[in-house]
Amino acid sequence: NGAYALAVFGDSITTDHISPAGSIKEASPAGQYLIEHGVQKADFNSYGSRRGNHEVMMRGTFANVRIKNLMLPAGADGSREEGGLTLFQPGNEKMFIYDAAMKYIAQGTPTVIFGGEEYGTGSSRDWAAKGTQLLGIKAVVARSFERIHRSNLVGMGVLPLQFKGEDSWQSLGLKGDELISIDLGGEIKPQADVKLIIERADGNKTEVTVKLRIDTPIEVSYYQHGGILPFVLRQLLAA
């Protein structure tokens, strides 16, 4: 209830867009974290080499230098600023996605991601789902999902929701400053229709039906436990 969009993306957002493996920029949240901990710029190495460090990988989530958050306004030539940036709401304050995510978490505000077709395409990079969860993102709403990334999101306790028919964030006129709520109904059922409730800045509300992309009964159990890891731990503790 009452979530803000952390980012709004177009089509074909890859797992490398979500969790890059490339070099770490000095000005990025991950670069600043390493500097604060005494690491020289020459020793930053890459996100791929630091994937055992969740502090670096959290800060690297959605930090690809080529990613375009379409919440940011277009320039005079129609181009969009690249890099892991967003507009913190309310107020449209521009900052790194990681910094905005931590501010939302600190104030208890959930967040969601909007995407287009083939969200999560590319390699089955587990950190793409892990990082999403660690940034406090509760749901990803897209036109379609790559198979493995959809499964990984559920495994991390993040809701994948799919637009139906011709619906999209564009057709709904979303800008990123709306309040988003999700009504799952009384009982979570695989591939059920659920309600996406959009409250706009002027107070108008729109309800749209989306498909819950929790596809199997065991995935329902994973989600209800907050992901595969807590599900398995609770089974072991009960044994």
Side-chain angles (χ1 to χ4, degrees), residues 42-119:
D43 298 323
F44 278 7
N45 215 315
S46 65
Y47 289 108
S49 71
R50 293 190 178 270
R51 61 184 178 270
N53 185 332
H54 77 278
E55 294 286 359
V56 171
M57 298 305 288
M58 281 172 65
R59 288 163 174 79
T61 304
F62 299 112
N64 188 301
V65 295
R66 292 287 174 260
I67 200 167
K68 294 180 183 179
N69 183 354
L70 302 180
M71 285 171 62
L72 273 65
D77 61 354
S79 64
R80 303 273 183 169
E81 191 170 358
E82 295 180 328
L85 298 165
T86 192
L87 298 177
F88 183 81
Q89 303 298 336
N92 284 331
E93 183 185 355
K94 187 166 79 170
M95 63 180 69
F96 286 112
I97 286 176
Y98 170 79
D99 293 336
M102 293 304 104
K103 284 188 72 171
Y104 283 128
I105 288 172
Q107 65 186 33
T109 301
T111 53
V112 299
I113 295 286
F114 286 99
E117 301 280 2
E118 298 180 333
Y119 184 88

Side-chain angles (χ1 to χ4, degrees), residues 97-177:
I97 286 176
Y98 170 79
D99 293 336
M102 293 304 104
K103 284 188 72 171
Y104 283 128
I105 288 172
Q107 65 186 33
T109 301
T111 53
V112 299
I113 295 286
F114 286 99
E117 301 280 2
E118 298 180 333
Y119 184 88
T121 190
S123 63
S124 55
R125 196 166 293 175
D126 60 345
W127 260 110
K130 288 181 190 176
T132 299
Q133 194 269 351
L134 288 170
L135 292 188
I137 295 161
K138 303 302 181 187
V140 178
V141 192
R143 288 273 304 153
S144 63
F145 289 90
E146 190 278 332
R147 177 178 58 89
I148 296 174
H149 185 62
R150 182 210 62 80
S151 176
N152 286 347
L153 286 173
V154 177
M156 290 305 297
V158 179
L159 275 176
L161 301 171
Q162 189 165 328
F163 286 114
K164 301 188 71 170
E166 298 301 313
D167 285 346
S168 65
W169 65 261
Q170 293 97 326
S171 73
L172 293 166
L174 300 186
K175 296 185 292 183
D177 61 352

